[in-house]
Amino acid sequence: MSAQWESFAAALLGPKQQALDIARRHLDRATASGAPGTKSWAELAWALALTKHGDPTQALTVERTALTHQLKAGNLWGSVLAVHFRSWSLAQLITDLIAAGCTDRARLKALAEETAHLTGGAKTLRMSMGAEIRNMGPFGDETARAIDVARDVLGPEAYSLAERQGLLLRPESNEVQRLALGTLSLRKMAVDHPARTAIPSHWDELSAAEQEVATLAAAGWTNTAIASRRETPPGGSTRRSPQFSRS
């Protein structure tokens, strides 16, 4: 336990080489012990050191490995930390990409949305446990930083929406952890799930004609049939049909 907290402290507060050396040494010893639980916790410390001082992309992989074990073992605290750490790694990856001149807006947005989802979900998990992050020192600082990074990419309104989706995930079904593992998709959840209904619809942005065409296309009508229907409305006048491709 002492070595575990030494690794966390070094990763968060120590210089780069010290943090990586201590976390790596702890992981090697934990792995050699043959105790899966001990190894999983050491992996979390290693992932944290990688995020702060090395490679956040590698950290994301390590975090999922650790989270898989923590979830299987039913360790709520371990899984909550893994979710937090993943949001921090995503934020650091965004920061590194921007610093390197990344212009792939879609990629940055996707990373920021996942960060917001996990941040909101982590808050719901903490509330279910009665944990207040403001009393957790650097853990709170890192979470605040992740929020700032994601908000800068998405904008305040879009960030708030994405965070709210995470907040609406259900702790009793481990939905936050499953989202972090990549085994849960918000857009593939039941349509009546609170997190799903929070996703804005673009339906109202369509004109009446576009809504009609979309409805017919969804019902299986071909473009030719839709065009024929719309070109000969009651009254005999001709109207132009918006084009929707079926996918």
Side-chain angles (χ1 to χ4, degrees):
M1 184 62 73
S2 296
Q4 182 67 46
W5 285 104
E6 177 191 29
S7 298
F8 280 152
L12 286 167
L13 305 172
K16 177 179 179 178
Q17 199 56 53
Q18 182 187 50
L20 293 173
D21 287 348
I22 289 176
R24 182 74 250 184
R25 181 183 66 208
H26 178 47
L27 177 58
D28 290 344
R29 290 176 176 175
T31 301
S33 75
T38 301
K39 178 185 176 183
S40 178
W41 279 95
E43 286 171 338
L44 288 176
W46 175 237
L48 181 57
L50 287 172
T51 295
K52 294 290 292 180
H53 304 287
D55 184 352
T57 300
Q58 183 184 351
L60 290 168
T61 300
V62 176
E63 285 153 3
R64 280 187 167 170
T65 300
L67 177 54
T68 297
H69 176 83
Q70 295 290 341
L71 193 57
K72 183 178 180 180
N75 192 318
L76 184 55
W77 273 109
S79 67
V80 170
L81 285 180
V83 170
H84 276 88
F85 289 3
R86 182 170 179 83
S87 70
W88 302 353
S89 298
L90 289 167
Q92 185 59 54
L93 179 57
I94 292 170
T95 301
D96 291 349
L97 287 170
I98 292 175
C102 176
T103 57
D104 188 343
R105 178 67 185 173
R107 184 184 182 190
L108 294 174
K109 181 181 177 182
L111 292 171
E113 285 182 340
E114 184 181 354
T115 304
H117 291 152
L118 293 180
T119 300
K123 184 175 181 179
T124 293
L125 290 176
R126 294 197 310 271
M127 290 171 62
S128 71
M129 299 167 63
E132 175 52 68
I133 199 168
R134 287 178 295 182
N135 299 327
M136 298 176 69
F139 288 90
D141 297 339
E142 291 298 320
T143 297
R145 176 181 171 276
I147 290 172
D148 288 342
V149 170
R151 185 183 285 120
D152 285 345
V153 172
L154 297 175
E157 184 175 348
Y159 174 84
S160 295
L161 175 62
E163 185 185 65
R164 174 171 168 72
Q165 288 177 269
L167 282 166
L168 294 171
L169 293 172
R170 295 164 175 160
E172 65 274 13
S173 300
N174 295 320
E175 290 177 345
V176 182
Q177 295 93 327
R178 288 159 54 202
L179 181 67
L181 286 172
T183 59
L184 178 72
S185 169
L186 291 179
R187 295 191 177 276
K188 293 183 180 180
M189 300 175 75
V191 294
D192 59 346
H193 190 291
R196 177 73 180 275
T197 57
I199 300 176
S201 170
H202 297 293
W203 180 256
D204 292 336
E205 298 176 8
L206 300 177
S207 67
E210 289 170 333
Q211 290 180 356
E212 180 183 0
V213 172
T215 300
L216 293 172
W221 288 50
T222 65
N223 283 339
T224 301
I226 294 172
S228 177
R229 171 189 172 91
R230 290 188 51 76
E231 286 171 0
T232 55
S237 61
T238 301
R239 51 183 175 176
R240 185 175 180 180
S241 175
Q243 294 298 304
F244 280 71
S245 61
R246 296 180 61 201
S247 59

